[in-house]
Amino acid sequence: MPQENDFSLSSLSGPSFRSSREGSGQKWSALVMLALGAGLGVAEAGEAEAQDGTDTAGTTATDSTINLSAVRVHGQADVEGSNTNNTSLDIGRMPGTVRDTPQTISVVPKDLIIQQRLFTLDQALANVPGITMSTGEGNGGLNGDQFRIRGQQARGDIYEDGLRDFGTYVRDTFNTESVEVIKGPSGEYFGAGNVGGVINQTLKKAHLGNHYDLDQTFASGMQYRGTADVNYQLGKHTALRVNGMYNKQDVADRDNIRTDRYGVAADLGFGIGTKTTYHLNYQWLGSRGTPDYGVPMIQIGGIYSPITSHGLARDTSYARSFNMDNSNIHMVTSKFSSQIANWLTFNNDTRFTHYHRDYSASNPNACTGSCATSFLAGGNPALAYGAGGGAAYNQDGWGIQNVMMARAKFNTGFLRHDISAGVDINYTKDDRIMGTYVNRMNDQTIRNPYYSAPNTYITWPSSGHRTADFRDLGLFLADKIHITKRLSLFGTFRWDNYESTYWSAAASAAGTQSQSSSKFSPSASLMYDVDDNKSVYFTFSRSYKPVGTDVASEVTTQSSIGDVPVNGRNLKPQRSDLFEVGTKMDFLNKHLGMTAALYQIEQNNSYTYDESGNVITGFQDAGTGREIRGAELSLTGKITKDWEIYGAYSYMGGKVTNSSTTAGKQAPQLPHNNFSVWTSYNLSPLLLKPGQGKLSVGGGAQYSSGYWANEANTARMPYNFSLNTMISYQYGRYHVQFNANNLSDHLNYASAFNTGRAVPQSGRTFMGNFGVGF
């Protein structure tokens, strides 16, 4: 019998994948199916490329089974690009695949990134229901990638290859294979923080064989983007992969907003295809742009909503000529893995990151009272700026993390064990000088605000110096115990010793503030395999988020209102508990996968911000709480050999608890209904003859219902809806693609912050791409 990740010859002739053509057409369809299936067996074997016809164990494939681990066909979808249950997580301290993990994991696969031309992390996560964004949270209002998972803050919970991605900035996907979102508290895997979940980007790695891909994109805005991806085999088991990117872009439908990015990444792989592998990866991402703090919220009848939903032009921007968002992020990652024995594997992963950012932004304030009355009557009232007029920072930081672990598989009597144990050490330090504006005028108006401010500049006084750091030492142990062939018990146990410090030149007499804590983050799961294609599970997990975990995102002006330690006060961390029951199923010989889950999250000591970004509850007092319940459903993979689908739906409902003022209110940043669906179809068998290339079409929709932007339920965001489409053609080594997004030109919003502001997204946009690969 073929292995579960292999296509057998019989699977090619099954009713779901049977060709309607006879003779040569049937043979050609079989060859296409082999190409589409190439790489299905390499999830554990690595990026093997046209080797000698033997599998990793040295056995030769039989006549009745085609072992695909020996072949990798570039440009074709493999199983990880279709049924995301098969996605390998490449995070040693977690189970190997999505299917093996007793928790909801949403995956944005490589094929979806290519078909939709997803260039930034936030664009990729638009395909993941249950993700919302905030803009400029925290005192001083830094923006960048600030996500919420199931309504829980995940600002500092972004990872690459399972290691922390330090800093707050706009992340590009030029060096990304796929994006995984582990939903729900995940402290048992990742330590301090992670009360809502984790966002992980899988990096591109060197593989055997040579390939070269060059792409150029032109889009609305205007946007000009070029990428290069080159892999070169240096030896029998050694290869080098280099990626490059430039992206010059005026954001469509947003005046004076730019996002220029440049990047280079290189991965050197040793021992590829052997039992001992080592990858050394370097990535640099630079950006030169203008931050977008959106438009004011307007108060009508006691409820705030975006002013662009009441007649202001969507391209109105309050950015000034002195605003900037310039950053350089250097990241070095080392990943070592060795199978010491058939039952024992050792891993050691290390990352060093250096982060620099020069930043200045102007914050529009809410429009209330006489301002709202004048605007609704067609007037052009004055606009006050919020948060003191805007933030300015000069920021330098660095972080280092090392995860060392061993994994052992053995039996004790009739019980089979799969044990992982290790040490996780993480340290981050951030230095920031807060700028002072000179000659800044606060004389904007709601309509037609001016951009140029040639006499305004920023100074960097020593009194503006702030510094913060955190250190986390984690010890973890996980054991999956197979009680019977189909019943297993999965338990994890992690202990973290955490310490954070904060120092401010403006309050130097108070000295360095510090806070430490030691917490256990356990989880327990019961899994039952109904058969080889269906499993059900129940999971409980607990995470803690101590004060000061997001030092790169927030170094406050005043310790009394910030997420920083204070001497002499026992600042209780947030605690988040997850209860989840779910199922994961595969159909059509594992080409189509489905997941479904019901969950409840209980969180205490949550914290919220006011309109200026000051922490108004949490850390410094008892905080509030959240109770969130929801359901998720996904369907991904191939319905037929030419028809793929990626669809997901989530329902989220929640309320505020443990609050004297807002208890019983709906939890903020929590749209009730979310769905994303994308489907693509290979038209070549219908319209083209063999050898004439590959013609594909695709399309889909994204929707999220309206939600409250604040805990008091006085700021309401409207629903988002986007209808998107794609057509692509590949002939030999050449390909062209055309995308159209938000075809209905619906007014969508990227993010919102309390009652202060919201950021409109682009309307209808178009994108053309062409490239060559060989």
Side-chain angles (χ1 to χ4, degrees), residues 424-546:
D424 183 353
I425 301 173
N426 189 9
Y427 177 81
T428 302
K429 182 175 179 63
D430 185 80
D431 286 301
R432 186 179 309 180
I433 298 177
M434 304 182 68
T436 299
Y437 289 97
V438 179
N439 297 328
R440 180 175 61 183
M441 301 296 291
N442 189 14
D443 56 356
Q444 290 281 31
T445 54
I446 292 285
R447 305 181 196 272
N448 305 314
Y450 69 89
Y451 172 73
S452 178
N455 296 321
T456 302
Y457 61 95
I458 304 170
T459 62
W460 309 98
S462 59
S463 59
H465 188 204
R466 309 287 188 270
T467 184
D469 70 356
F470 79 82
R471 182 266 304 160
D472 184 21
L473 169 64
L475 307 176
F476 59 90
L477 174 67
D479 189 6
K480 184 175 183 179
I481 305 173
H482 297 266
I483 301 173
T484 68
K485 180 181 178 181
R486 300 200 179 277
L487 180 65
S488 59
L489 179 65
F490 187 40
T492 65
F493 185 79
R494 175 166 174 140
W495 174 81
D496 283 275
N497 180 263
Y498 175 87
E499 183 177 17
S500 63
T501 69
Y502 171 71
W503 178 86
S504 168
S508 58
T512 299
Q513 310 294 299
S514 65
Q515 178 83 37
S516 61
S517 63
S518 296
K519 292 293 183 181
F520 293 100
S521 300
S523 75
S525 305
L526 190 66
M527 302 180 65
Y528 182 75
D529 296 328
V530 179
D531 55 37
D532 291 342
N533 297 306
K534 302 178 184 67
S535 65
V536 294
Y537 65 87
F538 170 78
T539 290
F540 164 80
S541 66
R542 172 172 292 175
S543 293
Y544 289 93
K545 185 181 181 67

Side-chain angles (χ1 to χ4, degrees), residues 6 37-43 45-56 59-61 66-73 208:
D6 293 338
L40 291 179
V42 302
E47 301 279 351
E49 177 97 26
Q51 296 180 25
D52 57 4
T54 61
D55 61 20
T56 55
T59 60
T60 303
I66 300 174
N67 190 326
L68 295 171
S69 64
V71 180
R72 184 79 163 184
V73 179
L208 299 183

Side-chain angles (χ1 to χ4, degrees), residues 733-764:
R733 64 181 60 182
Y734 304 100
H735 70 266
V736 294
Q737 182 171 316
F738 179 79
N739 289 70
N741 296 321
N742 195 8
L743 290 174
S744 65
D745 204 33
H746 185 74
L747 178 54
N748 296 317
Y749 293 91
S751 58
F753 179 59
N754 211 302
T755 61
R757 54 191 180 269
V759 180
Q761 287 186 309
S762 301
R764 186 184 299 111

